[in-house]
Amino acid sequence: MERLIPLCVAMALTAAGSARAGCGPVEPQCEIPGGSYEIALPPAATETAGDPSPIPAVLFLHGHGGSAKGVLRMRGMVEAVTARGYAVIAPNGARRPNGPRSWSFLPEFQGRDDFAFLPEVVSDAAARFDIDPQNTVLAGFSSGAFMVNYLACDQPETFAAYLPVSGGFWRPQPESCTGPARIYHSHGWRDGVVPLEGRILGGGRFTQGDIWAGLELWRDTMGCDTHAPDRIWQDGELSLRRWQCGADAELVFELFPGGHMVPPGWADRVIDWIEAGAGPQTETD
């Protein structure tokens, strides 16, 4: 497929050379039925527009009240991802009746069918920018991370891997998931917005789930022989656990010392993991 990247709509995003590509000569936002997205391409994408190799991508979902523009303003993360040859695709959540954008991972949220919308974003980006759907991973922060978990649980074959940051399931969490997946879950030890043990919201109408219980659900789904991780290690201030339960059944849990945030160095760590195919290659303590 020839890359459909009009140079007239490629704009410099950072000094590092990643390019923010648009779907028109003025507005960078790409409109599709049901919503919109923005995209940052790796530097080589605009330099070699005739290169037939498709571009791998990280589809990154913003948190509650966020936006695609807000994701692309996370310059450290975007630069790190695009420097590794990946595009960053940032879809916009649909607006809730009370205004903020978010994701409909629970039926009671109603609104747009995000389980259908997100694969449509990838299909559109594949046609416009030669994104490789087979090498696109789904990542998200906070509310976006809840959406990542629910889509992975419902449609695990849709993305190559799943990278939730600071979000899991809500109560009552699913009794089971459709099938195994490759998951790298990052969470802050001091997170008070999405605590590891969960919390009650909306005057008791909603309950964020226990992150540890969500990890147990994933281990059961992946058919792990034991709940004990096959690796436990420390990487600086990071505490990590890994369950390798099959070729397409891997769970890594990264606990970092901060709060509700995407931790420093996250992008390079997850891309190392994606490309290794069998978890981070850090020495065991």
Side-chain angles (χ1 to χ4, degrees), residues 107-181:
E108 50 264 45
F109 291 165
Q110 301 178 350
R112 183 178 68 194
D113 181 357
D114 286 322
F115 293 87
F117 172 71
L118 295 175
E120 289 166 1
V121 169
V122 177
S123 295
D124 189 81
R128 294 182 195 261
F129 304 104
D130 200 13
I131 296 300
D132 184 356
Q134 300 303 313
N135 286 300
T136 295
V137 301
L138 182 64
F141 170 68
S142 193
S143 179
F146 285 107
M147 185 70 219
V148 169
N149 270 281
Y150 278 92
L151 195 147
C153 185
D154 188 64
Q155 304 171 21
E157 72 290 343
T158 303
F159 292 91
Y162 296 88
L163 317 172
V165 182
S166 303
F169 293 105
W170 286 38
R171 293 289 194 184
Q173 73 177 23
E175 293 184 3
S176 63
C177 292
T178 303

Side-chain angles (χ1 to χ4, degrees), residues 42-43 56 79-86 267-273 275:
E79 290 177 15
V81 171
T82 56
R84 299 288 293 270
Y86 291 70
D268 277 316
R269 289 195 299 276
V270 296
I271 290 177
D272 285 345
W273 172 75
E275 295 183 346

Side-chain angles (χ1 to χ4, degrees), residues 3-7 9-14 16-22 37-47 49 54-57 72 78-79 81-89 125-126 128-132:
R3 288 188 184 157
L4 306 177
I5 305 174
L7 297 181
V9 301
M11 300 172 286
L13 175 62
T14 68
S18 59
R20 180 171 174 175
Y37 69 92
E38 298 195 24
I39 185 169
L41 297 169
T46 53
E47 295 167 6
I55 307 168
L72 294 192
V78 172
E79 290 177 15
V81 171
T82 56
R84 299 288 293 270
Y86 291 70
V88 176
I89 306 172
R128 294 182 195 261
F129 304 104
D130 200 13
I131 296 300
D132 184 356

